[in-house]
Amino acid sequence: MKFMKNGIWYRNGLHFSCLRCGKCCWDEGPYTEVYIDRDDILKMAAYLNLYPDEFHRRYVTRSDEYAVLRSDRGACVMLRDASCGVYPVRPRQCRTWPFWPENLNRRTWYGEVRKRCPGAGQGRRYTPEEIEAIWLSGSPVS
């Protein structure tokens, strides 16, 4: 998906700064599951000094045909003291938050995203081109 700078509502960019508050880690509405792939599992397992099969046994479950991180008392199992316990190697889904295609419409951004994330609307301004690159490459935000 290529953004047309003059044809999108956020053509001047969007501000975001991860405050590491952990609010995005709580199971809520459409943001309940953290989908992960093999690369995510390998990185998180190594970070936690676990073999991938042990990491999988402890922290992974299935939702439909997808691997997802388990939930623990209504939050992602990786949430530790209100912050991500694997932040440097967090899954792609978490690295690209809040710049997901489904969040990039005015109603969702100013509704669900801003309600859920105090860092949305704060910090540095990301250009439409940077937002696209973050989503497509999976590169970390902040």
PDB file of all heavy atoms in Angstrom, residues 46-79:
ATOM      1  N   ALA A  46      15.388 -16.427  22.778  1.00  0.00           N
ATOM      2  CA  ALA A  46      16.805 -16.124  23.002  1.00  0.00           C
ATOM      3  C   ALA A  46      16.965 -15.040  24.065  1.00  0.00           C
ATOM      4  O   ALA A  46      17.824 -15.138  24.950  1.00  0.00           O
ATOM      5  CB  ALA A  46      17.472 -15.697  21.696  1.00  0.00           C
ATOM      6  N   TYR A  47      16.127 -14.027  24.000  1.00  0.00           N
ATOM      7  CA  TYR A  47      16.190 -12.929  24.965  1.00  0.00           C
ATOM      8  C   TYR A  47      15.940 -13.429  26.389  1.00  0.00           C
ATOM      9  O   TYR A  47      16.545 -12.940  27.341  1.00  0.00           O
ATOM     10  CB  TYR A  47      15.160 -11.865  24.578  1.00  0.00           C
ATOM     11  CG  TYR A  47      15.207 -10.630  25.431  1.00  0.00           C
ATOM     12  CD1 TYR A  47      16.173  -9.652  25.228  1.00  0.00           C
ATOM     13  CD2 TYR A  47      14.267 -10.427  26.443  1.00  0.00           C
ATOM     14  CE1 TYR A  47      16.210  -8.505  26.008  1.00  0.00           C
ATOM     15  CE2 TYR A  47      14.293  -9.286  27.226  1.00  0.00           C
ATOM     16  CZ  TYR A  47      15.270  -8.338  27.001  1.00  0.00           C
ATOM     17  OH  TYR A  47      15.301  -7.202  27.781  1.00  0.00           O
ATOM     18  N   LEU A  48      15.048 -14.403  26.518  1.00  0.00           N
ATOM     19  CA  LEU A  48      14.712 -14.966  27.831  1.00  0.00           C
ATOM     20  C   LEU A  48      15.570 -16.177  28.197  1.00  0.00           C
ATOM     21  O   LEU A  48      15.311 -16.839  29.200  1.00  0.00           O
ATOM     22  CB  LEU A  48      13.228 -15.346  27.876  1.00  0.00           C
ATOM     23  CG  LEU A  48      12.251 -14.180  27.727  1.00  0.00           C
ATOM     24  CD1 LEU A  48      10.824 -14.691  27.597  1.00  0.00           C
ATOM     25  CD2 LEU A  48      12.390 -13.203  28.888  1.00  0.00           C
ATOM     26  N   ASN A  49      16.577 -16.466  27.359  1.00  0.00           N
ATOM     27  CA  ASN A  49      17.466 -17.622  27.579  1.00  0.00           C
ATOM     28  C   ASN A  49      16.701 -18.937  27.672  1.00  0.00           C
ATOM     29  O   ASN A  49      16.961 -19.766  28.540  1.00  0.00           O
ATOM     30  CB  ASN A  49      18.334 -17.415  28.826  1.00  0.00           C
ATOM     31  CG  ASN A  49      19.308 -16.282  28.657  1.00  0.00           C
ATOM     32  OD1 ASN A  49      19.947 -16.150  27.623  1.00  0.00           O
ATOM     33  ND2 ASN A  49      19.393 -15.438  29.665  1.00  0.00           N
ATOM     34  N   LEU A  50      15.762 -19.104  26.754  1.00  0.00           N
ATOM     35  CA  LEU A  50      14.976 -20.337  26.675  1.00  0.00           C
ATOM     36  C   LEU A  50      15.157 -20.967  25.307  1.00  0.00           C
ATOM     37  O   LEU A  50      15.390 -20.268  24.317  1.00  0.00           O
ATOM     38  CB  LEU A  50      13.481 -20.039  26.866  1.00  0.00           C
ATOM     39  CG  LEU A  50      13.033 -19.495  28.207  1.00  0.00           C
ATOM     40  CD1 LEU A  50      11.566 -19.087  28.135  1.00  0.00           C
ATOM     41  CD2 LEU A  50      13.240 -20.537  29.301  1.00  0.00           C
ATOM     42  N   TYR A  51      15.031 -22.285  25.265  1.00  0.00           N
ATOM     43  CA  TYR A  51      14.955 -22.944  23.967  1.00  0.00           C
ATOM     44  C   TYR A  51      13.603 -22.592  23.361  1.00  0.00           C
ATOM     45  O   TYR A  51      12.605 -22.432  24.086  1.00  0.00           O
ATOM     46  CB  TYR A  51      15.080 -24.458  24.114  1.00  0.00           C
ATOM     47  CG  TYR A  51      16.466 -24.913  24.486  1.00  0.00           C
ATOM     48  CD1 TYR A  51      16.737 -25.392  25.767  1.00  0.00           C
ATOM     49  CD2 TYR A  51      17.509 -24.856  23.560  1.00  0.00           C
ATOM     50  CE1 TYR A  51      18.022 -25.799  26.111  1.00  0.00           C
ATOM     51  CE2 TYR A  51      18.788 -25.265  23.895  1.00  0.00           C
ATOM     52  CZ  TYR A  51      19.038 -25.735  25.170  1.00  0.00           C
ATOM     53  OH  TYR A  51      20.298 -26.128  25.509  1.00  0.00           O
ATOM     54  N   PRO A  52      13.530 -22.483  22.040  1.00  0.00           N
ATOM     55  CA  PRO A  52      12.262 -22.112  21.404  1.00  0.00           C
ATOM     56  C   PRO A  52      11.093 -23.020  21.790  1.00  0.00           C
ATOM     57  O   PRO A  52       9.978 -22.519  22.005  1.00  0.00           O
ATOM     58  CB  PRO A  52      12.569 -22.212  19.906  1.00  0.00           C
ATOM     59  CG  PRO A  52      14.029 -21.907  19.828  1.00  0.00           C
ATOM     60  CD  PRO A  52      14.623 -22.551  21.062  1.00  0.00           C
ATOM     61  N   ASP A  53      11.326 -24.331  21.916  1.00  0.00           N
ATOM     62  CA  ASP A  53      10.214 -25.210  22.282  1.00  0.00           C
ATOM     63  C   ASP A  53       9.730 -24.953  23.713  1.00  0.00           C
ATOM     64  O   ASP A  53       8.543 -25.034  24.006  1.00  0.00           O
ATOM     65  CB  ASP A  53      10.556 -26.687  22.059  1.00  0.00           C
ATOM     66  CG  ASP A  53      11.746 -27.153  22.867  1.00  0.00           C
ATOM     67  OD1 ASP A  53      12.626 -26.333  23.211  1.00  0.00           O
ATOM     68  OD2 ASP A  53      11.799 -28.364  23.161  1.00  0.00           O
ATOM     69  N   GLU A  54      10.635 -24.595  24.606  1.00  0.00           N
ATOM     70  CA  GLU A  54      10.251 -24.256  25.975  1.00  0.00           C
ATOM     71  C   GLU A  54       9.486 -22.926  25.999  1.00  0.00           C
ATOM     72  O   GLU A  54       8.478 -22.796  26.691  1.00  0.00           O
ATOM     73  CB  GLU A  54      11.475 -24.172  26.888  1.00  0.00           C
ATOM     74  CG  GLU A  54      11.164 -23.775  28.305  1.00  0.00           C
ATOM     75  CD  GLU A  54      10.316 -24.783  29.086  1.00  0.00           C
ATOM     76  OE1 GLU A  54      10.155 -25.933  28.632  1.00  0.00           O
ATOM     77  OE2 GLU A  54       9.806 -24.407  30.157  1.00  0.00           O
ATOM     78  N   PHE A  55       9.944 -21.954  25.244  1.00  0.00           N
ATOM     79  CA  PHE A  55       9.227 -20.679  25.136  1.00  0.00           C
ATOM     80  C   PHE A  55       7.815 -20.932  24.613  1.00  0.00           C
ATOM     81  O   PHE A  55       6.837 -20.420  25.157  1.00  0.00           O
ATOM     82  CB  PHE A  55       9.974 -19.716  24.207  1.00  0.00           C
ATOM     83  CG  PHE A  55       9.253 -18.414  24.029  1.00  0.00           C
ATOM     84  CD1 PHE A  55       9.493 -17.360  24.891  1.00  0.00           C
ATOM     85  CD2 PHE A  55       8.319 -18.251  23.011  1.00  0.00           C
ATOM     86  CE1 PHE A  55       8.810 -16.158  24.743  1.00  0.00           C
ATOM     87  CE2 PHE A  55       7.633 -17.061  22.864  1.00  0.00           C
ATOM     88  CZ  PHE A  55       7.876 -16.007  23.733  1.00  0.00           C
ATOM     89  N   HIS A  56       7.725 -21.732  23.571  1.00  0.00           N
ATOM     90  CA  HIS A  56       6.437 -22.043  22.963  1.00  0.00           C
ATOM     91  C   HIS A  56       5.504 -22.696  23.979  1.00  0.00           C
ATOM     92  O   HIS A  56       4.335 -22.327  24.106  1.00  0.00           O
ATOM     93  CB  HIS A  56       6.648 -22.952  21.743  1.00  0.00           C
ATOM     94  CG  HIS A  56       5.470 -23.008  20.835  1.00  0.00           C
ATOM     95  ND1 HIS A  56       4.397 -23.820  21.071  1.00  0.00           N
ATOM     96  CD2 HIS A  56       5.200 -22.331  19.691  1.00  0.00           C
ATOM     97  CE1 HIS A  56       3.519 -23.664  20.119  1.00  0.00           C
ATOM     98  NE2 HIS A  56       3.978 -22.758  19.267  1.00  0.00           N
ATOM     99  N   ARG A  57       6.020 -23.656  24.716  1.00  0.00           N
ATOM    100  CA  ARG A  57       5.206 -24.363  25.722  1.00  0.00           C
ATOM    101  C   ARG A  57       4.695 -23.406  26.800  1.00  0.00           C
ATOM    102  O   ARG A  57       3.542 -23.466  27.199  1.00  0.00           O
ATOM    103  CB  ARG A  57       6.013 -25.490  26.355  1.00  0.00           C
ATOM    104  CG  ARG A  57       5.187 -26.397  27.261  1.00  0.00           C
ATOM    105  CD  ARG A  57       6.026 -27.455  27.957  1.00  0.00           C
ATOM    106  NE  ARG A  57       6.994 -26.913  28.889  1.00  0.00           N
ATOM    107  CZ  ARG A  57       6.689 -26.366  30.080  1.00  0.00           C
ATOM    108  NH1 ARG A  57       5.440 -26.260  30.457  1.00  0.00           N
ATOM    109  NH2 ARG A  57       7.638 -25.909  30.880  1.00  0.00           N
ATOM    110  N   ARG A  58       5.533 -22.504  27.254  1.00  0.00           N
ATOM    111  CA  ARG A  58       5.166 -21.594  28.344  1.00  0.00           C
ATOM    112  C   ARG A  58       4.279 -20.434  27.914  1.00  0.00           C
ATOM    113  O   ARG A  58       3.401 -20.017  28.670  1.00  0.00           O
ATOM    114  CB  ARG A  58       6.420 -20.970  28.961  1.00  0.00           C
ATOM    115  CG  ARG A  58       7.232 -21.885  29.805  1.00  0.00           C
ATOM    116  CD  ARG A  58       8.322 -21.065  30.473  1.00  0.00           C
ATOM    117  NE  ARG A  58       9.327 -21.913  31.070  1.00  0.00           N
ATOM    118  CZ  ARG A  58      10.361 -21.441  31.760  1.00  0.00           C
ATOM    119  NH1 ARG A  58      10.515 -20.137  31.925  1.00  0.00           N
ATOM    120  NH2 ARG A  58      11.236 -22.269  32.276  1.00  0.00           N
ATOM    121  N   TYR A  59       4.548 -19.877  26.732  1.00  0.00           N
ATOM    122  CA  TYR A  59       3.984 -18.570  26.402  1.00  0.00           C
ATOM    123  C   TYR A  59       3.096 -18.493  25.169  1.00  0.00           C
ATOM    124  O   TYR A  59       2.510 -17.447  24.912  1.00  0.00           O
ATOM    125  CB  TYR A  59       5.119 -17.552  26.223  1.00  0.00           C
ATOM    126  CG  TYR A  59       5.968 -17.400  27.449  1.00  0.00           C
ATOM    127  CD1 TYR A  59       7.319 -17.752  27.425  1.00  0.00           C
ATOM    128  CD2 TYR A  59       5.441 -16.913  28.638  1.00  0.00           C
ATOM    129  CE1 TYR A  59       8.113 -17.614  28.553  1.00  0.00           C
ATOM    130  CE2 TYR A  59       6.220 -16.777  29.773  1.00  0.00           C
ATOM    131  CZ  TYR A  59       7.553 -17.121  29.723  1.00  0.00           C
ATOM    132  OH  TYR A  59       8.338 -16.982  30.843  1.00  0.00           O
ATOM    133  N   VAL A  60       2.998 -19.577  24.404  1.00  0.00           N
ATOM    134  CA  VAL A  60       2.279 -19.508  23.129  1.00  0.00           C
ATOM    135  C   VAL A  60       1.042 -20.390  23.174  1.00  0.00           C
ATOM    136  O   VAL A  60       1.054 -21.480  23.740  1.00  0.00           O
ATOM    137  CB  VAL A  60       3.202 -19.942  21.961  1.00  0.00           C
ATOM    138  CG1 VAL A  60       2.453 -19.908  20.630  1.00  0.00           C
ATOM    139  CG2 VAL A  60       4.431 -19.052  21.902  1.00  0.00           C
ATOM    140  N   THR A  61      -0.019 -19.889  22.557  1.00  0.00           N
ATOM    141  CA  THR A  61      -1.228 -20.667  22.362  1.00  0.00           C
ATOM    142  C   THR A  61      -1.688 -20.423  20.925  1.00  0.00           C
ATOM    143  O   THR A  61      -0.999 -19.761  20.161  1.00  0.00           O
ATOM    144  CB  THR A  61      -2.315 -20.290  23.402  1.00  0.00           C
ATOM    145  OG1 THR A  61      -3.383 -21.213  23.325  1.00  0.00           O
ATOM    146  CG2 THR A  61      -2.813 -18.868  23.210  1.00  0.00           C
ATOM    147  N   ARG A  62      -2.830 -20.981  20.560  1.00  0.00           N
ATOM    148  CA  ARG A  62      -3.329 -20.806  19.196  1.00  0.00           C
ATOM    149  C   ARG A  62      -4.679 -20.109  19.226  1.00  0.00           C
ATOM    150  O   ARG A  62      -5.468 -20.312  20.124  1.00  0.00           O
ATOM    151  CB  ARG A  62      -3.461 -22.157  18.508  1.00  0.00           C
ATOM    152  CG  ARG A  62      -2.121 -22.846  18.469  1.00  0.00           C
ATOM    153  CD  ARG A  62      -1.760 -23.654  17.279  1.00  0.00           C
ATOM    154  NE  ARG A  62      -1.840 -23.179  15.952  1.00  0.00           N
ATOM    155  CZ  ARG A  62      -0.867 -22.553  15.297  1.00  0.00           C
ATOM    156  NH1 ARG A  62       0.251 -22.261  15.898  1.00  0.00           N
ATOM    157  NH2 ARG A  62      -0.998 -22.244  14.044  1.00  0.00           N
ATOM    158  N   SER A  63      -4.892 -19.283  18.229  1.00  0.00           N
ATOM    159  CA  SER A  63      -6.186 -18.656  18.005  1.00  0.00           C
ATOM    160  C   SER A  63      -6.498 -18.884  16.541  1.00  0.00           C
ATOM    161  O   SER A  63      -5.787 -18.372  15.674  1.00  0.00           O
ATOM    162  CB  SER A  63      -6.114 -17.167  18.314  1.00  0.00           C
ATOM    163  OG  SER A  63      -7.355 -16.554  18.029  1.00  0.00           O
ATOM    164  N   ASP A  64      -7.515 -19.662  16.290  1.00  0.00           N
ATOM    165  CA  ASP A  64      -7.783 -20.145  14.938  1.00  0.00           C
ATOM    166  C   ASP A  64      -6.515 -20.869  14.471  1.00  0.00           C
ATOM    167  O   ASP A  64      -6.013 -21.721  15.160  1.00  0.00           O
ATOM    168  CB  ASP A  64      -8.205 -19.014  14.001  1.00  0.00           C
ATOM    169  CG  ASP A  64      -9.521 -18.377  14.452  1.00  0.00           C
ATOM    170  OD1 ASP A  64     -10.420 -19.126  14.873  1.00  0.00           O
ATOM    171  OD2 ASP A  64      -9.633 -17.142  14.399  1.00  0.00           O
ATOM    172  N   GLU A  65      -5.953 -20.466  13.352  1.00  0.00           N
ATOM    173  CA  GLU A  65      -4.735 -21.141  12.885  1.00  0.00           C
ATOM    174  C   GLU A  65      -3.471 -20.360  13.206  1.00  0.00           C
ATOM    175  O   GLU A  65      -2.393 -20.686  12.735  1.00  0.00           O
ATOM    176  CB  GLU A  65      -4.822 -21.423  11.378  1.00  0.00           C
ATOM    177  CG  GLU A  65      -4.757 -20.196  10.513  1.00  0.00           C
ATOM    178  CD  GLU A  65      -6.106 -19.555  10.200  1.00  0.00           C
ATOM    179  OE1 GLU A  65      -7.121 -19.872  10.831  1.00  0.00           O
ATOM    180  OE2 GLU A  65      -6.135 -18.714   9.298  1.00  0.00           O
ATOM    181  N   TYR A  66      -3.573 -19.326  14.043  1.00  0.00           N
ATOM    182  CA  TYR A  66      -2.444 -18.452  14.323  1.00  0.00           C
ATOM    183  C   TYR A  66      -1.839 -18.691  15.703  1.00  0.00           C
ATOM    184  O   TYR A  66      -2.547 -18.986  16.658  1.00  0.00           O
ATOM    185  CB  TYR A  66      -2.874 -16.977  14.232  1.00  0.00           C
ATOM    186  CG  TYR A  66      -3.422 -16.624  12.887  1.00  0.00           C
ATOM    187  CD1 TYR A  66      -4.790 -16.515  12.685  1.00  0.00           C
ATOM    188  CD2 TYR A  66      -2.570 -16.408  11.815  1.00  0.00           C
ATOM    189  CE1 TYR A  66      -5.293 -16.190  11.438  1.00  0.00           C
ATOM    190  CE2 TYR A  66      -3.066 -16.081  10.565  1.00  0.00           C
ATOM    191  CZ  TYR A  66      -4.431 -15.982  10.382  1.00  0.00           C
ATOM    192  OH  TYR A  66      -4.926 -15.667   9.152  1.00  0.00           O
ATOM    193  N   ALA A  67      -0.532 -18.494  15.796  1.00  0.00           N
ATOM    194  CA  ALA A  67       0.151 -18.527  17.089  1.00  0.00           C
ATOM    195  C   ALA A  67      -0.005 -17.157  17.736  1.00  0.00           C
ATOM    196  O   ALA A  67       0.181 -16.128  17.078  1.00  0.00           O
ATOM    197  CB  ALA A  67       1.631 -18.851  16.899  1.00  0.00           C
ATOM    198  N   VAL A  68      -0.348 -17.148  19.007  1.00  0.00           N
ATOM    199  CA  VAL A  68      -0.512 -15.901  19.759  1.00  0.00           C
ATOM    200  C   VAL A  68       0.133 -16.062  21.133  1.00  0.00           C
ATOM    201  O   VAL A  68       0.265 -17.176  21.647  1.00  0.00           O
ATOM    202  CB  VAL A  68      -2.002 -15.498  19.928  1.00  0.00           C
ATOM    203  CG1 VAL A  68      -2.646 -15.212  18.584  1.00  0.00           C
ATOM    204  CG2 VAL A  68      -2.779 -16.541  20.686  1.00  0.00           C
ATOM    205  N   LEU A  69       0.530 -14.938  21.714  1.00  0.00           N
ATOM    206  CA  LEU A  69       1.034 -14.976  23.078  1.00  0.00           C
ATOM    207  C   LEU A  69      -0.133 -15.229  24.025  1.00  0.00           C
ATOM    208  O   LEU A  69      -1.233 -14.718  23.813  1.00  0.00           O
ATOM    209  CB  LEU A  69       1.730 -13.662  23.440  1.00  0.00           C
ATOM    210  CG  LEU A  69       3.076 -13.436  22.778  1.00  0.00           C
ATOM    211  CD1 LEU A  69       3.608 -12.040  23.106  1.00  0.00           C
ATOM    212  CD2 LEU A  69       4.088 -14.495  23.220  1.00  0.00           C
ATOM    213  N   ARG A  70       0.122 -16.003  25.056  1.00  0.00           N
ATOM    214  CA  ARG A  70      -0.911 -16.290  26.052  1.00  0.00           C
ATOM    215  C   ARG A  70      -1.312 -15.014  26.783  1.00  0.00           C
ATOM    216  O   ARG A  70      -0.561 -14.055  26.845  1.00  0.00           O
ATOM    217  CB  ARG A  70      -0.404 -17.289  27.079  1.00  0.00           C
ATOM    218  CG  ARG A  70      -0.196 -18.665  26.549  1.00  0.00           C
ATOM    219  CD  ARG A  70       0.238 -19.601  27.683  1.00  0.00           C
ATOM    220  NE  ARG A  70       0.617 -20.888  27.157  1.00  0.00           N
ATOM    221  CZ  ARG A  70      -0.242 -21.861  26.857  1.00  0.00           C
ATOM    222  NH1 ARG A  70      -1.522 -21.681  27.074  1.00  0.00           N
ATOM    223  NH2 ARG A  70       0.190 -23.007  26.363  1.00  0.00           N
ATOM    224  N   SER A  71      -2.481 -15.083  27.376  1.00  0.00           N
ATOM    225  CA  SER A  71      -2.972 -14.011  28.221  1.00  0.00           C
ATOM    226  C   SER A  71      -2.830 -14.465  29.672  1.00  0.00           C
ATOM    227  O   SER A  71      -2.991 -15.645  29.986  1.00  0.00           O
ATOM    228  CB  SER A  71      -4.442 -13.750  27.896  1.00  0.00           C
ATOM    229  OG  SER A  71      -4.923 -12.674  28.637  1.00  0.00           O
ATOM    230  N   ASP A  72      -2.496 -13.536  30.534  1.00  0.00           N
ATOM    231  CA  ASP A  72      -2.353 -13.838  31.960  1.00  0.00           C
ATOM    232  C   ASP A  72      -3.138 -12.789  32.742  1.00  0.00           C
ATOM    233  O   ASP A  72      -2.753 -11.619  32.764  1.00  0.00           O
ATOM    234  CB  ASP A  72      -0.871 -13.802  32.353  1.00  0.00           C
ATOM    235  CG  ASP A  72      -0.637 -14.129  33.814  1.00  0.00           C
ATOM    236  OD1 ASP A  72      -1.494 -14.788  34.434  1.00  0.00           O
ATOM    237  OD2 ASP A  72       0.414 -13.716  34.330  1.00  0.00           O
ATOM    238  N   ARG A  73      -4.249 -13.196  33.310  1.00  0.00           N
ATOM    239  CA  ARG A  73      -5.117 -12.296  34.080  1.00  0.00           C
ATOM    240  C   ARG A  73      -5.516 -11.055  33.275  1.00  0.00           C
ATOM    241  O   ARG A  73      -5.485  -9.942  33.789  1.00  0.00           O
ATOM    242  CB  ARG A  73      -4.462 -11.910  35.407  1.00  0.00           C
ATOM    243  CG  ARG A  73      -4.252 -13.089  36.344  1.00  0.00           C
ATOM    244  CD  ARG A  73      -3.645 -12.675  37.671  1.00  0.00           C
ATOM    245  NE  ARG A  73      -2.415 -11.920  37.546  1.00  0.00           N
ATOM    246  CZ  ARG A  73      -1.192 -12.437  37.522  1.00  0.00           C
ATOM    247  NH1 ARG A  73      -1.029 -13.730  37.631  1.00  0.00           N
ATOM    248  NH2 ARG A  73      -0.130 -11.663  37.406  1.00  0.00           N
ATOM    249  N   GLY A  74      -5.847 -11.259  32.019  1.00  0.00           N
ATOM    250  CA  GLY A  74      -6.343 -10.163  31.193  1.00  0.00           C
ATOM    251  C   GLY A  74      -5.296  -9.322  30.507  1.00  0.00           C
ATOM    252  O   GLY A  74      -5.604  -8.265  29.962  1.00  0.00           O
ATOM    253  N   ALA A  75      -4.050  -9.772  30.542  1.00  0.00           N
ATOM    254  CA  ALA A  75      -2.971  -9.016  29.901  1.00  0.00           C
ATOM    255  C   ALA A  75      -2.036  -9.971  29.181  1.00  0.00           C
ATOM    256  O   ALA A  75      -2.019 -11.174  29.454  1.00  0.00           O
ATOM    257  CB  ALA A  75      -2.188  -8.213  30.938  1.00  0.00           C
ATOM    258  N   CYS A  76      -1.238  -9.435  28.292  1.00  0.00           N
ATOM    259  CA  CYS A  76      -0.220 -10.226  27.615  1.00  0.00           C
ATOM    260  C   CYS A  76       0.704 -10.849  28.653  1.00  0.00           C
ATOM    261  O   CYS A  76       1.113 -10.198  29.615  1.00  0.00           O
ATOM    262  CB  CYS A  76       0.586  -9.327  26.675  1.00  0.00           C
ATOM    263  SG  CYS A  76       1.987 -10.171  25.896  1.00  0.00           S
ATOM    264  N   VAL A  77       1.047 -12.094  28.450  1.00  0.00           N
ATOM    265  CA  VAL A  77       1.907 -12.824  29.382  1.00  0.00           C
ATOM    266  C   VAL A  77       3.296 -12.190  29.508  1.00  0.00           C
ATOM    267  O   VAL A  77       4.003 -12.423  30.486  1.00  0.00           O
ATOM    268  CB  VAL A  77       1.986 -14.316  28.972  1.00  0.00           C
ATOM    269  CG1 VAL A  77       2.789 -14.496  27.704  1.00  0.00           C
ATOM    270  CG2 VAL A  77       2.499 -15.172  30.093  1.00  0.00           C
ATOM    271  N   MET A  78       3.670 -11.346  28.574  1.00  0.00           N
ATOM    272  CA  MET A  78       4.974 -10.683  28.629  1.00  0.00           C
ATOM    273  C   MET A  78       4.954  -9.381  29.432  1.00  0.00           C
ATOM    274  O   MET A  78       5.995  -8.766  29.650  1.00  0.00           O
ATOM    275  CB  MET A  78       5.488 -10.387  27.211  1.00  0.00           C
ATOM    276  CG  MET A  78       5.836 -11.627  26.416  1.00  0.00           C
ATOM    277  SD  MET A  78       7.203 -12.511  27.192  1.00  0.00           S
ATOM    278  CE  MET A  78       6.641 -14.187  27.023  1.00  0.00           C
ATOM    279  N   LEU A  79       3.790  -8.967  29.894  1.00  0.00           N
ATOM    280  CA  LEU A  79       3.694  -7.743  30.681  1.00  0.00           C
ATOM    281  C   LEU A  79       4.311  -7.972  32.062  1.00  0.00           C
ATOM    282  O   LEU A  79       3.928  -8.875  32.790  1.00  0.00           O
ATOM    283  CB  LEU A  79       2.233  -7.314  30.830  1.00  0.00           C
ATOM    284  CG  LEU A  79       1.982  -5.988  31.535  1.00  0.00           C
ATOM    285  CD1 LEU A  79       2.600  -4.833  30.755  1.00  0.00           C
ATOM    286  CD2 LEU A  79       0.489  -5.758  31.713  1.00  0.00           C
TER     287      LEU A  79
END
